[in-house]
Amino acid sequence: MPTEPETDYDPELGRKFIFVTGGVMSGLGKGITAASTGRLLKNAGFDVTAVKIDPYLNVDAGTMNPFQHGEVYVLKDGGEVDLDLGNYERFLDIDMTFDHNVTTGKTYQHVIEKERAGDYLGRTVQIIPHITDDIKRRIREAAEGNDVCIIEVGGTVGDIEGMPYLEALRQFAHEEDEDDILFTHVTLVPYSKNGEQKTKPTQHSVKELRSIGLQPDVLVGRCSDKLDIDTKEKIALFCDVPTDAVFSNPDVDDIYHVPLMVEEEGLDQYVMEQLDIAEEALPEAERENRWRELVTQQTEGEVDVALVGKYDLEDAYMSVHEALKHAGLEKNVDVNVEWVNSEKMPDHHESRMREADAIVVPGGFGTRGTQGKIDAIRYARENDVPYLGLCLGFQLAVIEYARNVLGLEGAHSAELDEETPHPVIDILPEQYEVEDMGGTMRLGAHETDIEPGTLAASLYGEDSCTERHRHRYEVNPEYFDELEAAGLKFSGRSANRMEILELAPEEHPYFIGTQFHPEFRSRPTRASPPFVGLLEAVLGDDPHGVDAETEVSH
Ligand code: GLN
């Protein structure tokens, strides 16, 4: 787990703060609304960052089950965080750090450690001011060096866990200049049976906010449609904001269209005016337009990709799904992700896998669903179906090759079968003594050396790449030579660790696996090379061999 520096805060930096709270219920997409607003501010020339507050007691998301909570997102510094940080990184095209995810566990742990160290000697340590001070410190530090910082409070106003945070925000606003702070409240506006947009839930949640001393400046109504003017007026009247501070946020098919919708509603302009930065914004003609071009381009064709995992919850593989979408944006095709549950193979899910144009096996832990994934990899390898294996999907490709090509019966990962006669995947040596589960894997960005002339070199166009990791096991060095002699090429290495595997172009049109997770660095405007290669292989543009040309041109 990354350590936590306590730096001196420079008040000149991190000038403007947008706080985002949610009302009525969670899962309204307030993170996407906030990230979209941030994207537009960035397009207008501002440096924007974000902080996600998760009021749970876990120190970080690393120990949480993706089936309940969605994927664990990994940052470059190795922080294991809530998937919302992934959305901020993708929308804002920034690299965040562990400090940008504030959790109750982290805050209390830090304050209690300080108490044990004697830092508060003589004093009673309390939620107010010690916890609230620590929350404010974290926000200010994370904002440093940026023009605007968006702070999203997870959960819903009224949750007991969220109370210290809302109190901290109240104090924060009290300490800063009024035009440096903007409170945005995202709430639900449901329809009644007779088709009327109902504002009562919004009124109640704003009342709740006001009872703890927070008055929202902006209200965003999540509704299946745009809000009627009557609805906006009613919300304005009861919640004590001008009507033009009430914005619609209707359902859209694709989250990457939310920034366009926010812009159409004028939310970004309103925010800039309220924060008194509208005059510093770039003129519209000079604003960054790449996002809009990409997400509105006319696509030509579709690619079906089978994502063979063990969870039915799509959020469990969010970054992989998004990385496939980004590759689609780059290749100008629609990517349909077919969710294949490897535990439900070989029944109807198997045919779904067989009908797809390409197969991806993502990361994972534990034995459940393993056999179905190995079967899918074998199918891809034997039938020339483009394949991308990510972390566990890389490890299982090694296992499949060891079993079915080398004939090493029972070959497995020591994680999944302790008794295996051929542990081709084994625990990392530095993990032998590790007992704690939280933050102890090989985490974060590490450099991989890429062998020239390989598929990996052609994809990355360079002789190294730096991608994010999250694993405890790796290819067992005792099997390197045997696997390579049988045709499984390790084209990416990091010292003695195998990081990328591939099959030669004569053997397979596209078969590649990475011990790292390239999906975490993929952005809508900057797709990840292994994902782009997967689509190229499907579309018939040979992803192999570009490297030779690049070498000549150097
Ligand atoms: N369970 C495997 C390991 O710990 C793979 C991890 C992953 O896919 N993220 O090495």
Side-chain angles (χ1 to χ4, degrees):
M1 195 166 48
T3 50
E4 297 194 74
E6 259 191 67
T7 51
D8 287 332
Y9 167 65
D10 177 352
E12 289 308 310
L13 302 167
R15 295 152 49 206
K16 305 284 176 178
F17 301 88
I18 304 176
F19 294 115
V20 183
T21 53
V24 186
M25 62 179 214
S26 59
L28 286 180
K30 63 178 180 303
I32 298 292
T33 314
S36 298
T37 311
R39 175 76 223 178
L40 294 165
L41 297 178
K42 185 164 177 167
N43 291 353
F46 298 105
D47 288 332
V48 184
T49 192
V51 172
K52 172 76 198 296
I53 291 174
D54 283 308
Y56 45 66
L57 276 167
N58 303 62
V59 170
D60 63 39
T63 52
M64 293 165 90
N65 182 348
F67 188 55
Q68 284 164 17
H69 207 79
E71 81 177 359
V72 177
Y73 190 78
V74 182
L75 299 170
K76 72 171 182 198
D77 67 358
E80 298 171 277
V81 294
D82 190 87
L83 54 77
D84 281 322
L85 275 87
N87 283 324
Y88 285 110
E89 286 207 340
R90 288 184 282 266
F91 275 71
L92 301 174
D93 195 9
I94 52 170
D95 283 341
M96 301 168 90
T97 63
F98 193 48
D99 307 328
H100 291 245
N101 194 189
V102 177
T103 66
T104 300
K106 221 186 244 184
T107 307
Y108 278 67
Q109 189 180 48
H110 184 67
V111 170
I112 291 169
E113 275 166 10
K114 278 175 68 174
E115 186 275 331
R116 292 290 78 188
D119 286 11
Y120 305 109
L121 224 49
R123 271 173 286 163
T124 310
V125 182
Q126 291 175 302
I127 294 179
I128 305 170
H130 301 104
I131 295 293
T132 47
D133 279 354
D134 195 60
I135 295 167
K136 290 183 288 179
R137 169 186 71 83
R138 285 169 190 275
I139 293 170
R140 292 191 167 108
E141 284 179 6
E144 266 196 48
N146 289 278
D147 300 314
V148 180
C149 180
I150 297 173
I151 303 98
E152 177 193 349
V153 186
T156 309
V157 168
D159 296 344
I160 288 179
E161 289 89 346
M163 288 303 182
Y165 294 97
L166 298 177
E167 167 58 17
L169 301 197
R170 191 194 63 73
Q171 296 176 12
F172 198 108
H174 179 76
E175 290 160 7
E176 299 282 334
D177 286 346
E178 208 181 315
D179 61 7
D180 286 347
I181 305 277
L182 193 81
F183 279 100
T184 304
H185 190 58
V186 182
T187 124
L188 179 72
V189 179
Y191 272 109
S192 70
K193 270 208 190 101
N194 53 11
E196 207 187 328
Q197 293 179 342
K198 305 302 283 180
T199 65
K200 193 67 92 192
T202 300
Q203 292 180 40
H204 277 295
S205 79
V206 170
K207 202 166 148 195
E208 184 93 38
L209 262 183
R210 293 168 74 168
S211 73
I212 43 181
L214 297 177
Q215 167 62 41
D217 302 299
V218 168
L219 284 159
V220 179
R222 285 284 297 114
C223 183
S224 46
D225 298 309
K226 287 195 170 185
L227 302 184
D228 301 331
I229 184 67
D230 297 351
T231 311
K232 286 189 174 179
E233 280 171 357
K234 205 161 165 187
I235 291 177
L237 177 68
F238 286 108
C239 302
D240 211 6
V241 294
T243 310
D244 60 4
V246 185
F247 294 88
S248 303
N249 187 355
D251 293 347
V252 287
D253 291 339
D254 179 355
I255 54 166
Y256 295 145
H257 285 247
V258 178
L260 313 190
M261 210 246 339
V262 167
E263 191 172 29
E264 192 185 308
E265 278 279 305
L267 174 58
D268 56 326
Q269 184 59 29
Y270 189 82
V271 165
M272 288 190 276
E273 281 164 17
Q274 294 302 307
L275 291 174
D276 203 18
I277 52 174
E279 298 199 343
E280 292 163 50
L282 289 172
E284 285 198 23
E286 286 172 34
R287 290 187 192 175
E288 157 75 55
N289 205 25
R290 176 101 181 103
W291 184 285
R292 175 181 291 273
E293 281 168 12
L294 272 178
V295 303
T296 54
Q297 72 191 350
Q298 203 55 45
T299 48
E300 288 163 16
E302 326 188 348
V303 174
D304 296 333
V305 180
L307 185 59
V308 185
K310 77 176 166 188
Y311 301 117
D312 281 329
L313 182 75
E314 297 184 7
D315 276 359
Y317 304 110
M318 181 183 276
S319 293
V320 177
H321 182 254
E322 298 309 300
L324 286 166
K325 265 171 66 181
H326 305 160
L329 291 174
E330 178 155 332
K331 300 310 293 179
N332 206 10
V333 287
D334 285 319
V335 178
N336 305 318
V337 178
E338 301 290 335
W339 304 94
V340 176
N341 186 332
S342 59
E343 283 189 291
K344 295 200 179 128
M345 283 170 58
D347 69 0
H348 66 283
H349 278 240
E350 174 132 355
S351 58
R352 239 196 246 180
M353 184 270 288
R354 285 172 187 259
E355 279 160 20
D357 300 314
I359 294 174
V360 175
V361 175
F365 295 82
T367 43
R368 254 177 55 208
T370 306
Q371 193 51 47
K373 292 179 194 171
I374 294 178
D375 293 346
I377 295 168
R378 179 173 197 170
Y379 177 80
R381 186 178 56 78
E382 292 182 341
N383 294 280
D384 286 350
V385 179
Y387 174 73
L388 172 60
L390 306 165
C391 206
L392 182 64
F394 160 94
Q395 297 176 353
L396 295 178
V398 173
I399 293 165
E400 191 279 322
Y401 209 81
R403 287 183 187 177
N404 301 322
V405 180
L406 263 68
L408 299 178
E409 215 174 301
H412 220 315
S413 162
E415 176 192 10
L416 310 170
D417 174 8
E418 285 177 22
E419 309 285 296
T420 173
H422 299 291
V424 288
I425 304 295
D426 206 354
I427 189 129
L428 291 164
E430 66 264 31
Q431 292 278 335
Y432 286 144
E433 308 289 323
V434 171
E435 283 177 8
D436 276 0
M437 292 302 278
T440 55
M441 280 185 253
R442 181 169 181 248
L443 288 165
H446 297 282
E447 190 172 87
T448 294
D449 296 322
I450 299 177
E451 191 175 315
T454 58
L455 169 60
S458 145
L459 293 172
Y460 279 93
E462 294 191 58
D463 57 12
S464 73
C465 66
T466 301
E467 299 275 16
R468 300 180 190 173
H469 295 71
R470 184 173 189 251
H471 65 115
R472 242 184 260 284
Y473 293 79
E474 66 181 10
V475 185
N476 184 341
E478 284 176 25
Y479 291 89
F480 291 169
D481 294 344
E482 217 176 325
L483 287 161
E484 284 219 307
L488 193 71
K489 172 87 193 151
F490 291 107
S491 51
R493 301 177 184 216
S494 174
N496 202 28
R497 303 174 200 280
M498 297 300 133
E499 292 273 7
I500 307 177
L501 66 77
E502 62 185 68
L503 291 178
E506 317 75 79
E507 300 295 325
H508 199 284
Y510 192 83
F511 191 95
I512 193 163
T514 61
Q515 179 61 76
F516 48 77
H517 291 271
E519 66 271 24
F520 293 134
R521 283 189 62 228
S522 183
R523 305 280 186 265
T525 47
R526 222 158 16 97
S528 165
F531 288 86
V532 176
L534 185 76
L535 298 194
E536 284 176 342
V538 173
L539 298 168
D541 316 339
D542 186 7
H544 296 265
V546 185
D547 176 55
E549 289 167 33
T550 346
E551 282 208 325
V552 174
S553 66
H554 270 297

